[in-house]
Amino acid sequence: MKLIFANRNYSSWSLRPWLVLRHFGIPFDEELVLLNGEGWQENIRRKSPSGRVPVLVDGDVGVPETIAIIEYLNDKYPAKGIWPSNRVERAYARAAAAEMHGGFMALRDNAPMNLRASHPGKVDFDLVADDLKRVERIWGDLLSRSGGPYLFGSFNAADAMFAPVASRIRTYELPVSDVAQEYVEAIYALPAFQEWLAEAVKEPWVVEQDEIDILLAKRDAAGHA
């Protein structure tokens, strides 16, 4: 199999299935495509039916969309424990992952993933407070049930879905509870995450739409136009 993914530093959706593949020891090849440069969008469209990444290629099968990739891997490797084995816990895990997949737009828009950066205080907390409150509720409820360090005890697909949120909390030093902060630390301690992070910080490319200094400057200019 091969995973086609974008810049490690910025691509939150690429990070998620990559963590699942690496953590669960599933062999795969990698193909990196860039989110900037001349013709980058056309290049992605040639490789992805949706025009977006990531895409999992398995023989003549091409699976776009992170959730679909994770489900495909779960079906192909049912013994890996990608989702919890318990039916009720599996339902809770899928519900949390689905909410992450479809929500938290304020957090995404105002605090883009940027693994190699440190931008404390640059995110207007009022803009992301509701999303953070909901994230903390999800994490707190699941961690209280499981005892941690991950949402269902051991790392699984639900944790992979929330890993980019953990990175945002650290990059922008967003104020969260001690329980949430401990979970962020657990995500960062995961060997697969550390491997991704080590490569992300070495990337030379700059994607302007995911750099908060550039975003804030553009918004300020638009406000004074």
Side-chain angles (χ1 to χ4, degrees), residues 3-222:
L3 185 69
I4 302 172
F5 59 90
N7 307 52
R8 287 178 172 89
N9 187 57
Y10 301 107
S11 183
S12 59
W13 292 108
S14 297
L15 169 62
R16 293 170 168 124
W18 191 96
L19 285 178
V20 171
L21 285 160
R22 183 66 83 214
H23 175 78
F24 289 102
I26 300 170
F28 68 106
D29 294 325
E30 301 179 346
E31 182 177 345
L32 173 67
V33 295
L34 298 181
L35 294 172
N36 61 339
E38 184 176 353
W40 69 269
Q41 291 172 311
E42 290 74 16
N43 183 44
I44 291 176
R45 290 190 187 101
R46 287 194 294 268
K47 301 174 186 297
S48 167
S50 66
R52 298 178 180 179
V53 287
V55 178
L56 183 73
V57 179
D58 187 12
D60 59 356
V61 175
V63 184
E65 292 294 336
T66 293
I67 287 284
I69 292 170
I70 291 173
E71 292 292 2
Y72 182 86
L73 295 171
N74 182 69
D75 290 343
K76 185 165 183 171
Y77 301 97
K80 292 286 188 181
I82 292 172
W83 291 110
S85 59
N86 177 273
R87 176 173 55 85
V88 174
E89 289 189 344
R90 190 164 60 250
Y92 285 143
R94 284 182 163 137
E99 186 171 350
M100 180 68 255
H101 187 273
F104 304 102
M105 294 308 299
L107 189 58
R108 295 181 196 180
D109 290 344
N110 294 286
M113 190 175 91
N114 191 334
L115 291 169
R116 64 177 177 239
S118 178
H119 292 307
K122 290 189 177 180
V123 172
D124 184 344
F125 180 69
D126 289 341
L127 297 177
V128 300
D130 288 344
D131 279 0
L132 277 179
K133 185 183 297 183
R134 178 56 187 155
V135 165
E136 291 200 66
R137 179 67 182 271
I138 293 170
W139 291 359
D141 287 350
L142 295 176
L143 289 167
S144 67
R145 288 168 55 88
S146 71
Y150 297 104
L151 298 177
F152 295 88
S154 57
F155 181 88
N156 66 31
D159 300 292
M161 290 298 296
F162 279 101
V165 176
S167 81
R168 289 173 164 98
I169 289 171
R170 176 173 285 196
T171 295
Y172 302 101
E173 294 187 13
L174 299 175
V176 294
S177 67
D178 290 344
V179 169
Q181 192 60 54
E182 288 174 6
Y183 180 68
V184 170
E185 297 305 317
I187 291 293
Y188 269 78
L190 189 78
F193 187 91
Q194 281 291 312
E195 185 179 345
W196 177 279
L197 178 63
E199 294 300 317
V201 299
K202 294 188 292 188
E203 289 182 343
W205 309 289
V206 173
V207 178
E208 290 191 358
Q209 63 263 31
D210 289 324
E211 289 289 342
I212 194 166
D213 287 337
I214 297 174
L215 287 174
L216 292 175
K218 288 182 176 179
R219 290 174 185 176
D220 185 62

